[in-house]
């Protein structure tokens, strides 16, 4: 094949364009508490062993992780009751019994 | 000294009412023949550590006991005074012929019975069993203790017990009302009359 000057010349070398770095898994560059929903978790290995779903495993507001998956303590559908803080208001008793006007 | 009449005056005091609930429930769960719910008939109360169900007052409760077995914890709520008259005085008769003054006032009180188990369904059964026992004998209890009212007011929702989160608890609240009466006897005989002639002289 005739070598015609000016044709089929390889293009001068150009450095490759700067490309954005490959996307990293989202759990790497996000704060761990955002990924798992637990601000208390600081050990990555411990966090990876936990389910990554939010909500149900988070427990009550301000709660801790110790109740997760062990008994009814982690059930967000049930209210809490405390024997220490329990009190039945006397006004409610009087009204319910119809004796408040005595 | 404790006389019979003095004891009768204390029939609806907080301590007596707490003991009443404890005694009734312990007797009820002492035999499977008394337990209406068949799934609870294995929960036999016995005196001592070998009991299958703990029935105790709140101030004698230890959390480790309830973690091992179902339990009923009895806790008294606040009493409220409702006055019947000015100065708690009975209107008729306020002062009798001997000079004794009579007073009366009424009190509203309530106890909450916490039914605690490690199963939600069993908690429902236990609180229903307690409610049926107390509702069934409400009129007998009211008449025996001379109460104005005695009724199971409400059964609270099944909840998670904060103090032992592996347990479910449901509160059963019982309310009652009674009239406390007393008399004040004067130390000296009542003055019948004053001789004005003696004063004039």
């Amino acid at each position: 094949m005739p070598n015609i000057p000016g044709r089929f010349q390889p293009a001068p070398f150009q450095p490759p364009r700067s490309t954005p770095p490959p996307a990293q898994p989202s759990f790497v560059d996000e704060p761990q508490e955002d990924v798992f929903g637990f601000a208390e978790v600081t050990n990555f290995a411990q966090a990876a062993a936990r389910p990554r779903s939010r909500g149900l495993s988070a427990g009550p507001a301000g709660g801790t992780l110790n109740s997760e998956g062990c008994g009814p303590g982690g059930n967000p559908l049930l209210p809490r009751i405390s024997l220490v803080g329990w009190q039945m208001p006397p006004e409610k008793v009087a009204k319910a019994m119809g004796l408040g006007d005595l | 000294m404790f006389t019979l009449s003095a004891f009768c005056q204390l029939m609806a005091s907080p301590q007596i009412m707490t003991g009443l609930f404890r005694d009734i429930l312990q007797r009820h769960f002492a035999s499977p023949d008394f337990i209406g719910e068949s799934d609870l008939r294995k929960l036999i109360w016995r005196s001592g550590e070998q009991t299958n169900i703990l029935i105790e007052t709140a101030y004698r409760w230890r959390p480790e006991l309830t973690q091992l077995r179902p339990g009923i914890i009895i806790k008294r709520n606040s009493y409220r005074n409702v006055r019947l008259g000015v100065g708690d005085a009975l209107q008729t008769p306020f002062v009798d012929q001997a000079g004794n003054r009579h007073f009366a006032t009424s009190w509203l009180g309530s106890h909450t019975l916490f039914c605690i188990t490690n199963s939600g369904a069993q908690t429902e059964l236990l609180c229903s069993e307690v409610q049926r026992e107390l509702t069934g004998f409400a009129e007998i209890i009211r008449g025996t203790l001379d109460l104005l009212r005695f009724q199971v007011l409400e059964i609270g929702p099944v909840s998670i017990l904060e103090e032992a989160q592996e347990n479910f608890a449901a509160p059963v609240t019982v309310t009652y009302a009674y009239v406390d009466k007393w008399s004040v006897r004067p130390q000296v005989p009542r003055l019948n009359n004053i001789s004005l002639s003696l004063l004039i002289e």
Side-chain angles (χ1 to χ4, degrees):
Chain A
M1 187 173 188
N3 187 8
I4 303 173
R7 300 187 65 182
F8 302 109
Q9 291 291 327
F13 176 78
Q14 294 179 353
R17 296 175 183 176
S18 61
T19 55
Q24 298 292 328
S26 61
F27 58 84
V28 173
D29 55 356
E30 287 185 26
Q32 290 181 5
E33 57 268 27
D34 291 341
V35 176
F36 300 104
F38 305 133
E40 298 87 349
V41 174
T42 55
N43 187 321
F44 181 82
Q46 179 185 1
R50 293 185 176 279
R52 297 184 181 180
S53 61
R54 298 169 186 258
L56 286 180
S57 60
T64 58
L65 295 176
N66 59 359
S67 61
E68 181 183 359
C70 54
N75 189 339
L77 303 180
L78 293 179
R80 268 61 176 170
I81 189 171
S82 171
L83 270 68
V84 178
W86 174 266
Q87 186 58 260
M88 174 62 70
E91 295 78 13
K92 181 179 179 180
V93 174
K95 183 177 180 180
M97 299 183 74
L99 296 173
D101 297 330
L102 278 177
Chain B
M1 181 179 177
F2 240 149
T3 63
L4 183 60
S5 64
F7 180 75
C8 290
Q9 290 296 317
L10 301 174
M11 287 300 275
S13 65
Q15 183 184 6
I16 297 295
M17 294 303 293
T18 301
L20 170 79
F21 290 117
R22 182 171 175 265
D23 189 64
I24 287 177
L25 293 176
Q26 286 180 349
R27 290 174 186 270
H28 178 70
F29 284 96
S31 169
D33 297 335
F34 301 151
I35 302 174
E37 180 57 54
S38 58
D39 290 337
L40 299 178
R41 286 177 184 158
K42 61 182 181 299
L43 301 180
I44 303 303
W45 180 86
R46 300 183 186 90
S47 178
E49 296 293 324
Q50 300 304 317
T51 181
N52 295 325
I53 180 171
L54 177 72
I55 301 174
E56 198 49 88
T57 58
Y59 41 78
R60 297 184 66 183
W61 180 66
R62 287 174 293 165
E64 61 269 21
L65 294 178
T66 303
Q67 290 177 11
L68 298 177
R69 62 179 74 97
I72 301 174
I73 306 302
I74 304 165
K75 186 176 184 182
R76 180 181 68 81
N77 301 311
S78 297
Y79 272 41
R80 181 192 178 193
N81 178 245
V82 180
R83 304 197 86 170
L84 297 175
V86 178
D88 291 332
L90 275 181
Q91 300 302 310
T92 53
F94 174 54
V95 181
D96 61 17
Q97 293 182 347
N100 301 328
R101 301 177 64 183
H102 302 283
F103 302 90
T105 190
S106 66
W107 288 90
L108 303 180
S110 68
H111 273 69
T112 298
L113 316 172
F114 293 92
C115 301
I116 302 171
T117 75
N118 55 11
S119 156
Q122 194 178 33
T123 303
E124 296 274 33
L125 295 177
L126 185 59
C127 66
S128 296
E129 182 74 19
V130 170
Q131 175 267 318
R132 285 183 55 81
E133 171 71 7
L134 294 175
T135 299
F137 288 98
E139 187 56 29
I140 307 300
I141 296 171
R142 190 201 64 76
T144 304
L145 297 182
D146 197 20
L147 304 175
L148 285 179
R149 304 282 177 87
F150 184 93
Q151 69 179 85
V152 179
L153 179 64
E154 69 175 16
I155 302 175
V158 174
S159 307
I160 296 169
L161 187 62
E162 285 280 5
E163 288 79 7
Q165 294 198 4
E166 62 275 15
N167 290 300
F168 295 88
V172 178
T173 300
V174 186
T175 59
Y176 42 87
Y178 67 96
V179 175
D180 189 11
K181 299 177 181 177
W182 69 98
S183 300
V184 176
R185 182 180 303 170
Q187 193 173 13
V188 296
R190 188 180 184 187
L191 189 61
N192 288 328
N193 53 60
I194 299 175
S195 174
L196 294 178
S197 59
L198 184 62
L199 295 175
I200 294 174
E201 295 175 356

